[in-house]
Amino acid sequence: MSGNMSLEFLKNKIILLMQERDKAIQRADDLMDTVQENSDLVTKFLITFKTWQKIYHTQLETEKRDLENRVSLADAEIDTLHEQKDALTTNKCDLEVEVEKLRRENDSLQSAIDTFEAAFQYKEKEIEDLQKQIDEFNLEMDELAL
């Protein structure tokens, strides 16, 4: 009986070991399923991440081009403003020259007016003197006629 008991004990031990092996296989299968699910999640995450990365990169490239275009437009506006400033500076210089010419012309005209007024006053004085002479002459004529 002791051989039978040993055999029965070994048989039970083998059954227990096989059950533990089956449980371990089941846990390994469960773990493999979990690993596969996690791997699928990581793959989906990576695909989503790569997609969002491409979208973000595209947006950044678009924003970069927009900013470059805005910078180009701003540079063109600055160039235009510089050209306008140069033109205005030239116009200002031309106007200053013209103003100086007009001042000289005004001074010349004022001098002519002053000369004319002096001559006019001199002529008025001559006319007054001549009128006095005429009046005196007429008075003498009236006296002679009497």
Side-chain angles (χ1 to χ4, degrees), residues 109-124:
L109 289 172
Q110 188 61 49
S111 177
I113 288 170
D114 292 345
T115 301
F116 176 76
E117 284 179 350
F120 183 76
Q121 287 175 357
Y122 178 78
K123 290 297 178 185
E124 279 185 329

Side-chain angles (χ1 to χ4, degrees), residues 34-45:
T34 301
V35 167
Q36 185 60 46
E37 288 171 3
N38 288 337
S39 177
D40 290 346
L41 285 174
V42 167
T43 300
K44 286 178 183 177
F45 170 77

Side-chain angles (χ1 to χ4, degrees), residues 79-127:
D79 291 343
T80 300
L81 289 173
H82 281 298
E83 290 169 5
Q84 289 174 349
K85 178 188 172 204
D86 293 344
L88 289 172
T89 301
T90 300
N91 286 345
K92 178 186 174 200
C93 291
D94 292 345
L95 288 173
E96 286 172 348
V97 167
E98 190 64 28
V99 164
E100 188 56 37
K101 285 179 187 176
L102 290 172
R103 281 192 182 127
R104 283 193 301 264
E105 189 176 319
N106 186 47
D107 291 346
S108 179
L109 289 172
Q110 188 61 49
S111 177
I113 288 170
D114 292 345
T115 301
F116 176 76
E117 284 179 350
F120 183 76
Q121 287 175 357
Y122 178 78
K123 290 297 178 185
E124 279 185 329
K125 178 72 171 132
E126 276 185 0
I127 291 170

Side-chain angles (χ1 to χ4, degrees), residues 6-45:
S6 287
L7 193 54
E8 192 62 34
F9 175 76
L10 284 175
K11 185 177 163 189
N12 287 338
K13 191 68 168 166
I14 290 173
I15 290 173
L16 284 175
L17 286 174
M18 287 177 70
Q19 287 174 346
E20 283 183 30
R21 181 200 67 168
D22 289 344
K23 286 179 187 176
I25 289 172
Q26 184 60 42
R27 281 195 308 266
D29 285 345
D30 291 346
L31 184 60
M32 285 299 291
D33 290 345
T34 301
V35 167
Q36 185 60 46
E37 288 171 3
N38 288 337
S39 177
D40 290 346
L41 285 174
V42 167
T43 300
K44 286 178 183 177
F45 170 77

Side-chain angles (χ1 to χ4, degrees), residues 64-76:
K64 179 184 172 189
R65 279 191 307 277
D66 289 346
L67 287 174
E68 287 170 346
N69 289 337
R70 289 171 59 192
V71 165
S72 292
L73 289 173
D75 285 341

